[in-house]
Amino acid sequence: MPDTHKEQTTISYKDTLNLPHTDFPLRPASASDDPLLLERWKSDNLYDQAMVHNQGKEKFILHDGPPYANGHIHLGHAYNKILKDITTKSRRMLGYHVPVTPGWDCHGLPIEHKVSQENPGATPYELKKKCRTYAQQWVDIQREDFKKLGVIMDWEHPYITMAPTYEAKTVEAFGVLVQKNTIERKNKTVAWCPSCATTLASAEIEYQDRKDPSLYVLFKMQEADARKLFPTIAEPLYFVVWTTTPWTLPLNRALMIKPGADYVVADMNGKHIIVAAARIDAIVQQLKTEKKVIQTFSAETLTQSHAEHPFIEKLIVPIITDDSVGLEDGTAIVHCAPGCGPIDYEVGVKHNLEIFSPVSPQGAYTHGIMPQELINMPVSDGQIWVIKKLHELGNLFYKTSINHSYPHCWRCHNGLIFRATRQWFFNLQQDNIKQKALDAVNTITFIPEHGKSFLKATLENRWEWCLSRQRSWGVPIPALLCMHCDYTYTNQDFINNVAQHIAQEGIEYWDRVTLEELAPKDLTCPTCELNEFRKETDILDVWFDSGISHYAVLYNNSAQQFPADLYLEGIDQHRGWFQSSLLTAMVLEQQPPMKTIMTHGFTVDEKGQKMSKSLGNVVAPQDIIKTLGTDGLRMWVASIGHQGDAVVSDTLIKNVGEVYRKIRNTCRAMLMNLYDYDHTQDAIAYDKLSPIDAYAVFMVEQLERTVIEQYKQNNFTGVFHELADYCTTHVSALYVEVTKDRLYCDTADSHTRRSTQTALWYMLDTLTHLVAPIMSFTAEFISDFYQKNKTSSIHLQSFAQCQLSSAIPDKQVYITTWETLLAIRSAVLKAIEPHRAQGLIKQSLEARVDISVDDSLVNYELIKNFINQLTPDQQQEFWKDFFVVSQVNLALTKNNVLSESGLAGVSINVSHAEGVKCPRCWRWEKTENAAGLCQRCAQIVEQL
C-alpha cells in the first residue's frame, strides 16, 4: 500500500486512492465529550426510556443494595455501580425488560453524629429534620456522581430508606415479625460500642489483634469451706482465676469450673492455690517455680464452696460448674460476670445469678458499682485501677500481657465491651427461621461459588439478631413501656396504625404524637396494674431498614419483581445486607429474595492492601478517569475477576489503557474505511462475499456468541479478554493486513471493496454493540458515525446477532479449513523474515512466494477443496492478499526443489518479486506501462 505522506514518483496518485478518513476523533476527549453526551441522554429521556424498553418481555431484576448517603462516592462505590450497570445493560441488549431502581441508605449513626455536631442542643424532632436535609444533599450529589460514570438507572425514582413511605414499610415489616412471635424484648448482655454508644449486631463486629493484660488473680476460699473440704491443710486456700479483662472484676458474681475435671491444691511460691490438674504444669513453667501438688480431687468437690472477692469487702461468690470452661489455657477457673459477657450471661440465667451491669452507654461505671470510688470512671481506666488494687491487697498472683483477637466496632474500629441492657431481638430460633434460611441458601446461585460457604458460615453463628439501637436518627420501634415495671405493650394493629401515620409524616410522627393519641383507652399494665407508660425511644437497626428492601421495593410491585434475579455487592455483605435480606424474607415472604448472589472483592493497592485514608493509598474514581477517561475506568472494572480483590496499580491501569485504545482504534479504523459505504445499498450478500470477508463475518459472529455467553454468566473479565484478543489478533494482525490493498487501491464501488466494506460493517456493528455495556460513551459515539439516520441510543438496541454464517453447512469443517490456511500463512510469513532481515526484501510486497502443498499436510483435502472452489484469477488474488505479497505460485503437489517450511506438507521458496514496483499500490509486476503502473492500477487510473 502506498505511503500517502511521501511522493513516490513525479506523478502523485493520491487522489486516485480510496484514502480512509473519518471525523471520529483520533483521541478521546472524555473530559469535554462525556458531559455533552450525558446532557444528550438527559434531553433524549434515555433513563426513562431504558426503564420501559422491552416492556412486556421477560424481566431481569437487579436489586440495588443501597449505599450510605454520606460523602462523595469512592472507588468501591464506582466499582460496584459500574458492575451493576454492565450487568443490566447487557441484559437489556439481550432482550430483557430491565427496570433498575437505585437505592440509598439514609438512617444511622454517622449522619446523626455529624448533624448533632453541627446542631448542638437540637430536639429529636429537629435533629431528624436536619438529618433528612443532610442525607438528601448527599443522595443528590452521589446520584450525579453515578450518572457521570455512565450508569443508567431510574434516577428520578429511587428508593430511599428515609422516605416516609419506606419508613412506614419498615415499621409494617416489624409488625409482621411481631405478629409471627419472632420479636422479643429482654435484658441481655450484648456487644456494646462505648464510642458509638450503641449495641452491635454480630454482623457489625470485626476482630482485630490487640494487647491486653493477662492476670492470675487470687480469690480466697471461705475459711469454713476450706476447713470442711480440706481439714488437713491449715494454710488459707486460694482459687486462681485467669482474666484478660480486669475491668470486669468489680462485676463478678461467681467462679466457674469445668465439670468432671480434676483439680489440685498446690503449694506455689508460698501460696496454697487451687487450679485444674490439666493446667498445673503450664502454670509451673510460666512462673518458673517448683511443682508441689498437695491433693487432687474432682471439680464436684468444690460445688458447695464459696470464695471471697479479692477487693470488694463482704462479697462472697459461689463456685459453679459449666461446660464453657476450657482446659486449654489459663487455670480452668473462670470469673463469671453475667452483665459483661454473652456466655457469662447465659450461665447467670441458668444459675440464677444477678445480671449486674452498672456500666453507662459511654462505657463508665455507674451508681451501684463497688467500690464506690469507681463511679463515673471509664472502664478503660478501670483496667489500671483493678490491677493496682489487686497488687495493693496482695491478690495479684501473677501478671503478664497477651496478644489476642478481640472484638471491635466495624464503624469506629474501637474495642467493644459487653453490657447487659434491655434490647429488642429477632429470635432466629422461632419457627426454625435460621434453619430455613440455611436451607434457602442451597437454592441460591452464587458467583463465585464459594460465596455460598461464606453466607452459610455467617448464618450458622447466629441465634438471634439484636434489632434495637439507642439512637435518634432511624425508624422507631413502636411500643409503649410501663414506667414502673418496664412491661412492653405492642401488637401488629398498634404497629400498623403507627405505620400509617409515618407514611404521611415520616418518623417524626413518633416524636410528635402524644401518649393519649397512641395508647388504647384504659391501658393498664397487666404486671403492676398501673397505667403510666412512655414511648420506646430505641430505633431499629439500620440493617433492618435496608434488609427489608425486598419487602418495601420488590414485593407486590408490578414495576419490579420478587424475588430479584440478582443481588450484586461486595463480599462483606455476606454478613450484612445479604444476611439481613435473607433472614427477614424467610418470615415476610417465606422464600429468599434473590435467585443469584454475585460478589466482588475490595479495592486494594498493588501491594494488596485495602484502600483507606489512614494508609494514604486511596485512589478516587476521578484519578483513573483523568488517566483513562470514563470508559477507561469502566474497562478497569470489567478487567477485574470474581475471585480476588480489585487491584489498582500503575501497571494494571497501563494495560487496561492499552486495551481500551486498541478496541477504540480498531473501531475507528473500520469507520475510516466505511466513509462511502451505505449498508442499505452497498451490502454484498454473504454467499457472494470473498473468502476472507466471509471468514471475517464468521469470526465476528463466533466472537459475539462467546461474548454474549460471558455476559450471561456475568464473566466480564472474559468479555474484556475476548474483545482485546479479537481486536489484536484477528483484526489488526490479520484482517487489516490482508484487505488494505483492495480497500485503498481497488475501484471504490468494486465488488471486492464492497465485499470487504460489508464485512467491516458487520464487524463494526457487532463489536460496537458488544462493547456498549462496558464502553458506554465510546459505543454511543461510534454508533453515531456509522448508523445512518440513527433514531435510538445504542443502549436501547439489542446485540447484533446477524447469524449470516448460519448458512455454512459444516462449521467445524469450515473452522478447520481456516485454521489450516492460517497455519500456511504463518509458515509463509516466517519464511519471508530471513530475507527481510538480510535486506533482500524491505517489505513483504517485494516478495514472490513459491509454495507446494502435498498430501502429507494435515487436512490437505480441505485445502484442496477450498482452492478448487476458486477460479484461477480468484486464487491468485486470494493468495497475494492473504500473504500480503506481490506474486504467488502455489501448486498442490510436492516440489522437492523448494525448502521445507517446518509445517509438514508445505514447502516454500521466497525470492524478490519480478518486475517493477507499482507507484500506486506498491505491488511488483512486469509491466509495459510507461509510468510503471501494474495492470490493475493502470485500468483504474485510465477510467478516472
Side-chain angles (χ1 to χ4, degrees), residues 581-595:
S581 298
L582 178 60
L583 289 172
T584 52
M586 297 315 295
V587 178
L588 296 172
E589 295 104 354
Q590 295 82 50
Q591 69 179 101
M594 74 290 285
K595 298 176 184 177

Side-chain angles (χ1 to χ4, degrees), residues 80-355:
N80 177 261
K81 270 296 194 289
I82 291 172
L83 276 177
K84 292 173 179 175
D85 191 52
I86 295 173
T87 300
T88 52
K89 279 176 178 167
S90 61
R91 289 306 192 284
R92 196 172 290 118
M93 296 184 80
L94 281 167
Y96 291 90
H97 175 212
V98 190
V100 191
T101 301
W104 272 276
D105 206 354
C106 301
H107 296 134
L109 179 61
I111 290 176
E112 180 177 340
H113 180 66
K114 180 68 174 178
V115 173
S116 297
Q117 285 181 325
E118 296 174 351
N119 300 273
T123 65
Y125 185 89
E126 293 168 340
L127 184 67
K128 289 180 176 66
K129 290 294 186 184
K130 296 287 186 181
C131 286
R132 283 192 187 280
T133 301
Y134 180 89
Q136 187 61 55
Q137 167 197 345
W138 285 111
V139 167
D140 294 339
I141 290 172
Q142 290 185 3
R143 173 165 36 201
E144 293 307 308
D145 287 344
F146 286 135
K147 285 183 182 179
K148 291 175 184 177
L149 300 177
V151 177
I152 294 178
M153 292 185 175
D154 193 0
W155 295 118
E156 296 306 312
H157 306 95
Y159 76 90
I160 300 176
T161 60
M162 69 175 181
T165 52
Y166 191 102
E167 291 172 333
K169 277 293 183 181
T170 304
V171 173
E172 183 184 306
F174 180 75
V176 175
L177 269 61
V178 168
Q179 191 272 332
K180 298 280 189 180
N181 295 317
T182 63
I183 300 297
E184 53 189 13
R185 182 172 180 263
K186 59 185 180 181
N187 195 28
K188 183 174 181 179
T189 301
V190 294
W192 187 272
C193 178
S195 300
C196 300
T198 188
T199 186
L200 278 80
S202 60
E204 299 173 308
I205 299 173
E206 60 184 19
Y207 285 84
Q208 302 174 14
D209 287 343
R210 80 172 192 182
K211 187 176 182 180
D212 277 319
S214 174
L215 306 186
Y216 290 82
V217 181
L218 297 175
F219 278 67
K220 184 180 178 182
M221 180 182 280
Q222 264 198 312
E223 190 165 344
D225 292 334
R227 299 289 72 81
K228 179 180 178 182
L229 297 176
F230 305 101
T232 61
I233 302 175
E235 291 81 1
L237 295 177
Y238 295 90
F239 295 98
V240 181
V241 170
W242 177 60
T243 182
T244 59
T245 54
W247 74 268
T248 63
L249 285 171
L251 286 73
N252 174 267
R253 288 300 180 265
L255 299 183
M256 298 187 292
I257 58 177
K258 182 76 171 179
D262 287 336
Y263 283 75
V264 299
V265 174
D267 182 353
M268 195 170 296
N269 294 337
K271 295 277 188 183
H272 282 64
I273 64 169
I274 299 173
V275 296
R279 298 300 304 156
I280 185 66
D281 289 338
I283 296 170
V284 166
Q285 184 178 2
Q286 188 168 18
L287 271 63
K288 296 182 174 58
T289 187
E290 187 179 353
K291 178 180 177 181
K292 294 180 182 178
V293 174
I294 298 173
Q295 188 173 337
T296 302
F297 49 91
S298 69
E300 283 65 28
T301 304
L302 301 171
T303 54
Q304 298 302 314
S305 63
H306 297 77
E308 299 174 6
H309 195 279
F311 56 78
I312 300 177
E313 294 183 11
K314 299 180 181 180
L315 178 59
I316 308 298
V317 298
I319 313 301
I320 59 178
T321 60
D322 193 81
D323 288 323
S324 65
V325 178
L327 298 173
E328 296 78 26
D329 47 28
T331 64
I333 303 177
V334 179
H335 110 82
C336 178
C340 300
I343 295 176
D344 292 23
Y345 170 82
E346 294 175 2
V347 172
V349 172
K350 188 190 305 181
H351 292 272
N352 199 28
L353 301 174
E354 180 185 11
I355 311 299

Side-chain angles (χ1 to χ4, degrees), residues 10 271 793 879:
T10 55
K271 295 277 188 183
S793 165
W879 294 121

Side-chain angles (χ1 to χ4, degrees), residues 15 67 72 165 318 487 819 879-880 884:
D15 293 339
H72 289 284
T165 52
Y487 163 78
E819 287 176 346
W879 294 121
K880 286 194 294 185
V884 195

Side-chain angles (χ1 to χ4, degrees), residues 1-3 737-738 740-741 745 829 832 836 840-849 879-888 911-918 920-925 936:
M1 187 199 80
D3 183 343
E737 289 296 308
V738 171
K740 62 184 178 181
D741 177 82
C745 302
L829 297 182
I832 291 173
R836 192 197 300 267
L840 300 176
I841 294 174
K842 294 180 181 179
Q843 54 181 307
S844 62
L845 281 177
E846 294 183 10
R848 168 193 168 96
V849 180
W879 294 121
K880 286 194 294 185
D881 286 344
F882 196 54
F883 299 141
V884 195
V885 297
S886 289
Q887 292 150 17
V888 179
S911 58
H912 198 288
E914 299 173 345
V916 296
K917 177 180 176 182
C918 174
R920 182 173 180 272
C921 70
W922 290 16
R923 280 185 176 180
W924 287 68
E925 185 179 298
R936 186 259 318 254

